[in-house]
Amino acid sequence: MAEEPPTPSSIDPYKQLRITLNPDGTLTRVNIFPNSPPTGEESGSDSPDSVLSKDIPLNATTNTWLRLFFPTASSTGRGALPLIICFHGGGFILFSAASRPFHLSCCHMAREFPAVIASVEYRLAPEHRLPAAYDDAVEAIQWVQAQALDRSNGEPWLRDHVDFNSCYLMGSSSGGNIVYQAALRTVGLDLEPVEIQGFILNQPYFGGLERTGSELRLKDDKILSLPSNDLMWELALPVGSDRNHEYCNPMLGRLDRVGEDGLLSLRGKKWLVRGYGGDPLVDRQRVFVEMLEKSGMTVVAWFDETGFHAVELFDPAKAQTLLDHVKEFVYSSGRTIGDSSAVDSKKSAI
């Protein structure tokens, strides 16, 4: 007897995501997180966590900007600090670098590592469909290069305190997807004196037409149901594209190219990929790790069965574990992260 197809989810994705699609193709968004203002440059040691933050325009035409985080307590008595360029999550359609959870996470990273953090306010879909966010990511990296080259007028938090040979790209969910696509786009670019040492993808947001075991098992997930997942890709991808577009499904993209946009050209960089068993996307994340490993990448993979998509936004202990892993990855050349609770990255339910 043929197996019956799974029962479709009854979840209304517009209600779950708290969005309304307007007749002109824009979204009305009901933000579930308030925005946090930057502290400014004059707060000194009285600022929260001894971290200063300020917003820097990136592109006036596209209205993009960067929020910089600087650990005042670590500005003296230490050598140059690593720079982490961050991309927030939200399925390409939600949230901001100023959204409170992302703001606080960057504050904590800057203080605890310590490091200088540059959080990118990239353009959102559907008003600006992909590859707009990827273009903004590359522009942010090139902005960092411009600061490194301008020893007289460059941004002083970077110019005076950053080791430009120790830069990292980091993102969660759709931000992790942006990290991967930005990594491909840096191949062939002359970024001297900036050197990107590694890429940090926390629960990266990938998809595809063929359903995975974790997507079907968690089709009614309270954070990322299957209807919401499909809708976000529909709103983010170029008009007329399906989920097998290379922006969504890296397995069908640029795997074998060694040219200027090829994954194989990134050998020598290190990768950290993290995931949780309760995330509908976990099967794709595990296969993504396998793809990196087969391409000869240096990969640190960490999967924990006790967690769900975006768990770090709700669970302080999970958020701290993420910070611990990123700190170890940035400050150590070791191949292992975490403890024995990590799950073998090669196990896949696809």
Side-chain angles (χ1 to χ4, degrees):
M1 180 180 297
E3 183 178 351
E4 293 185 3
T7 304
S9 173
S10 61
I11 289 178
D12 182 335
Y14 290 95
K15 289 183 178 180
Q16 184 175 51
L17 297 171
R18 301 188 183 187
I19 59 173
T20 300
L21 183 61
N22 302 316
D24 63 356
T26 64
L27 288 184
T28 297
R29 302 166 173 88
V30 178
N31 291 328
I32 62 174
F33 301 126
N35 284 350
S36 293
T39 62
E41 298 185 62
E42 308 300 328
S43 301
S45 59
D46 294 331
S47 65
D49 298 324
S50 297
V51 173
L52 299 179
S53 59
K54 62 181 176 182
D55 294 341
I56 302 290
L58 180 59
N59 186 319
T61 300
T62 58
N63 197 31
T64 54
W65 44 271
L66 300 163
R67 178 162 292 184
L68 300 184
F69 297 82
F70 177 66
T72 57
S74 303
S75 61
T76 59
R78 293 188 62 97
L81 300 173
L83 172 68
I84 302 176
I85 304 173
C86 288
F87 305 94
H88 67 80
F92 299 108
I93 69 169
L94 299 173
F95 309 134
S96 162
S99 296
R100 185 166 179 79
F102 305 119
H103 173 89
L104 291 178
S105 177
C106 289
C107 281
H108 295 160
M109 285 195 294
R111 180 197 65 197
E112 291 190 21
F113 289 2
V116 175
I117 311 295
S119 184
V120 181
E121 179 73 353
Y122 57 86
R123 287 171 290 173
L124 298 179
E127 294 86 351
H128 306 282
R129 291 175 177 268
L130 297 175
Y134 306 150
D135 295 339
D136 298 341
V138 173
E139 192 166 23
I141 296 167
Q142 292 174 320
W143 178 87
V144 169
Q145 179 191 30
Q147 310 314 304
L149 291 172
D150 191 346
R151 303 306 300 174
S152 299
N153 301 305
E155 165 54 47
W157 286 1
L158 274 64
R159 181 194 65 207
D160 298 338
H161 300 283
V162 162
D163 177 1
F164 289 102
N165 288 314
S166 184
C167 296
Y168 294 82
L169 305 185
M170 175 181 175
S172 292
S173 192
S174 56
N177 177 299
I178 292 172
V179 167
Y180 175 64
Q181 292 291 338
L184 293 176
R185 285 160 171 74
T186 63
V187 175
L189 294 181
D190 180 6
L191 296 176
E192 288 290 338
V194 172
E195 180 68 29
I196 299 175
Q197 297 291 341
F199 308 104
I200 301 163
L201 293 78
N202 180 52
Q203 296 183 278
Y205 187 50
F206 297 122
L209 284 178
E210 183 179 355
R211 303 301 190 187
T212 68
S214 58
E215 287 172 341
L216 294 174
R217 185 176 68 254
L218 299 167
K219 61 182 174 61
D220 295 319
D221 186 68
K222 294 181 179 180
I223 300 295
L224 186 62
S225 69
L226 200 56
S228 293
N229 185 21
D230 289 352
L231 176 60
M232 287 193 288
W233 281 119
E234 179 183 336
L235 294 173
L237 288 169
V239 174
S241 301
D242 62 29
R243 293 191 307 277
N244 274 347
H245 193 286
E246 63 183 62
Y247 296 164
C248 179
N249 190 344
M251 302 303 297
L252 302 179
R254 295 170 281 199
L255 304 188
D256 300 322
R257 302 183 195 173
V258 188
E260 66 178 62
D261 62 355
L263 176 61
L264 300 184
S265 298
L266 291 169
R267 286 173 175 167
K269 309 294 184 181
K270 58 181 183 177
W271 300 73
L272 171 60
V273 183
R274 301 176 78 259
Y276 291 92
D279 181 356
L281 307 181
V282 68
D283 286 350
R284 297 194 185 277
Q285 294 155 4
R286 286 171 168 150
V287 172
F288 176 73
V289 167
E290 293 177 0
M291 181 192 77
L292 292 178
E293 293 175 336
K294 291 176 181 177
S295 300
M297 303 297 132
T298 300
V299 186
V300 178
W302 187 91
F303 289 90
D304 184 351
E305 291 302 327
T306 59
F308 51 87
H309 194 76
V311 64
E312 295 90 1
L313 301 182
F314 308 96
D315 185 332
K318 298 293 189 186
Q320 184 61 51
T321 299
L322 170 61
L323 295 184
D324 291 343
H325 288 176
V326 175
K327 180 177 181 179
E328 184 177 348
F329 181 76
V330 169
Y331 276 96
S332 170
S333 59
R335 291 293 306 274
T336 59
I337 292 287
D339 55 28
S340 59
S341 65
V343 178
D344 183 354
S345 67
K346 293 185 179 294
K347 293 181 180 177
S348 172
I350 286 184

